[in-house]
Amino acid sequence: MPAPGGARAVARCDMLGVSPYTDMKDGLYRGWLSPAYRAAQEVVTGWMEEAGMTTRRDAATNLIGRYEGLNPGPALLIGSHIDSVRDGGRYDGPLGVMLGVECVATLHAATRRMPFPIEVIAFGDEEGSRFPAAMLTSRAAAGTLAEMPDMADAQGTPLALALASFGTAPERLADARHAPALAYLEAHIEQGPALETEGLALGVVTGIAAQLRLRLVLEGRAGHAGTTAMPLRRDALAAAAEIVLEVERVGRDRPDELVATVGTLEVEPGAANVIPGRVTLSLDIRALDPALRDLAAQAILDEADAIAARRLVTIRTLPIHDLPASPCDPRLTRILTEALIAAGHPPRRLASGAGHDAMAMAALCPTAMLFVRCRGGLSHNPAEHVEVVDVEAALAVMLGFIDRLEAVHV
Ligand code: GLV
Ligand code: MN
Ligand code: MN
């Protein structure tokens, strides 16, 4: 049966898609620790409190709403992220947070307490769209953030300064380690076309692909574009162009198992009349099978070395993150599938190529994920869209999951 809080969850995501919750003039961009991020945290805090939760912000800036249980033991965590990519959609991340708020609001309206507390978490940097790192805040909550590299955003703002304005510091992020938890549940738009193609509203996630993300810095030699003869050039952008095509070739070799992407390219000095002297590019490689991902990464890096050597360009490889594949917990997945079936949906299971905070949280507790159909499978795009009726269905299944967790909870 649909749950009406789904409509409010969608309306709130829509509200978060416009000023002051975006850092971009004609579109949505909410970078971690930005003014829009602060504004979003403030309004979400109010929604959490209205739903019956007490709120706090942990040392990694995650916003956490808590709904006490009949017993004080480990909590059920429900979460996702409130940062966004540049010119992104409204539902990637916030939908999972809003659905968590609606789960608690439904229980609160029925004056119902579960035997366990429920915490709804709005994570900060799942996308990694501001600083050259991603999922720092969920990794901090999961207790796996070992060291905190020094980093700055594209404007040169140091992470330490951005964190200071939220009352914390890089060396304090690890203090966000969450207490042991019962389970972590995340609802998210599918970001792919499988559910829509099959005419299904919802699917249960079996696991999340392993991700490797690197930065490659190519150093050639800047020079005059009018006077430097072609054979004498050490053009870092021309080398980068060959590498981009090699990345695509390696991904295309195994289209069912692997994806490989260059998503950013910074060209310096960046002038029409100067041969590019330095290029920094991002490399993102994913596969459900981590061995295959690593083989592909090695093949790309070997070929990049060869391209650079041929062009007398040097190449440096800097790590961004290496996230292992994250299978969802079989027991929780079974409970979520039962809730799906009980709500009248076919038990569709599917893997996730997109990364999610769930893959970081898997280090803390068992995880489960529910996918919601999105129009055209489109995401990381302002045209991202979900139907209210699908979100209502998702809420009903999440509430069914919570009920079933109560039944098996000891
Ligand atoms: C996040 O959206 C990712 O999969 O990179
Ligand atoms: Mn997301
Ligand atoms: Mn995303």
Side-chain angles (χ1 to χ4, degrees):
M1 178 186 300
R8 183 166 61 180
V10 172
R12 285 175 168 174
C13 291
D14 290 341
M15 180 176 158
L16 290 175
V18 296
S19 176
Y21 309 110
T22 171
D23 295 310
M24 208 178 131
K25 196 157 171 302
D26 294 310
L28 171 60
Y29 170 51
R30 196 162 48 243
W32 181 37
L33 308 175
S34 69
Y37 179 80
R38 186 187 296 279
Q41 274 204 337
E42 276 165 18
V43 72
V44 175
T45 299
W47 294 336
M48 285 175 164
E49 289 172 358
E50 193 185 306
M53 290 179 262
T54 54
T55 54
R56 67 182 193 277
R57 199 156 69 192
D58 71 16
T61 78
N62 295 308
L63 173 64
I64 305 177
R66 182 175 170 93
Y67 186 65
E68 294 299 340
L70 297 171
N71 308 308
L76 163 64
L77 312 179
I78 306 177
S80 198
H81 57 99
I82 57 167
D83 67 325
S84 83
V85 294
R86 241 163 242 285
D87 205 14
R90 296 175 170 182
Y91 311 101
D92 172 2
L95 185 67
V97 180
M98 296 310 127
L99 277 167
V101 171
E102 292 303 333
C103 285
V104 173
T106 307
L107 297 174
H108 186 57
T111 58
R112 202 168 151 211
R113 298 267 167 194
M114 307 311 289
F116 42 82
I118 298 178
E119 293 194 352
V120 178
I121 311 185
F123 291 110
D125 71 330
E126 190 265 2
E127 302 288 7
S129 53
R130 178 170 175 196
F131 294 94
M135 295 196 217
L136 294 175
T137 76
S138 44
R139 283 190 274 160
T144 54
L145 196 61
E147 87 219 35
M148 206 39 249
D150 212 6
M151 60 179 84
D153 68 9
Q155 274 64 51
T157 308
L159 175 62
L161 194 67
L163 285 171
S165 71
F166 275 72
T168 185
E171 60 281 6
R172 285 203 47 222
L173 293 187
D175 296 348
R177 187 193 183 113
H178 198 282
L182 192 59
Y184 173 80
L185 172 65
E186 180 165 355
H188 203 285
I189 55 167
E190 181 201 345
Q191 306 181 280
L195 294 174
E196 186 178 66
T197 305
E198 295 169 34
L200 301 175
L202 303 172
V204 171
V205 179
T206 50
I208 307 173
Q211 275 188 29
L212 181 67
R213 206 172 288 177
L214 305 168
R215 246 147 65 104
L216 267 49
V217 184
L218 303 169
E219 296 272 0
R221 189 177 56 207
H224 198 295
T227 58
T228 314
M230 297 308 288
L232 300 180
R233 297 184 178 204
R234 293 167 50 204
D235 184 330
L237 182 57
E242 277 199 57
I243 292 171
V244 171
L245 293 179
E246 173 62 13
V247 171
E248 186 192 44
R249 192 193 61 71
V250 168
R252 283 192 170 186
D253 267 0
R254 310 287 286 260
D256 296 332
E257 298 149 285
L258 185 78
V259 285
T261 308
V262 173
T264 68
L265 208 58
E266 291 154 40
V267 181
E268 295 168 76
N273 58 354
V274 183
I275 298 159
R278 180 192 297 142
V279 170
T280 305
L281 61 89
S282 62
L283 177 57
D284 180 299
I285 309 173
R286 306 181 190 198
L288 277 175
D289 175 358
L292 178 63
R293 179 203 68 167
D294 293 345
L295 272 176
Q298 201 50 57
I300 289 170
L301 294 178
D302 288 348
E303 187 54 29
D305 278 343
I307 292 165
R310 208 170 352 97
R311 291 178 165 276
L312 302 180
V313 164
T314 62
I315 186 163
R316 262 184 312 137
T317 304
L318 309 169
I320 295 184
H321 68 224
D322 178 352
L323 298 171
S326 175
C328 291
D329 179 69
R331 177 170 156 272
L332 292 184
T333 301
R334 201 181 57 243
I335 296 173
L336 190 57
T337 307
E338 283 167 14
L340 192 74
I341 294 170
H345 304 277
R348 176 67 159 100
R349 293 171 173 235
L350 68 173
S352 174
H356 300 289
D357 293 296
M359 66 198 302
M361 294 303 280
L364 180 76
C365 62
T367 60
M369 279 197 77
L370 181 66
F371 269 173
V372 184
R373 156 172 65 189
C374 59
R375 190 168 63 199
L378 202 58
S379 183
H380 288 186
N381 184 306
E384 193 175 272
H385 179 79
V386 280
E387 295 297 334
V388 165
V389 63
D390 291 351
V391 177
E392 289 175 344
L395 177 57
V397 170
M398 292 169 83
L399 289 166
F401 173 87
I402 294 171
D403 277 343
R404 281 170 176 74
L405 202 60
E406 177 181 32
V408 297
H409 180 68
V410 280

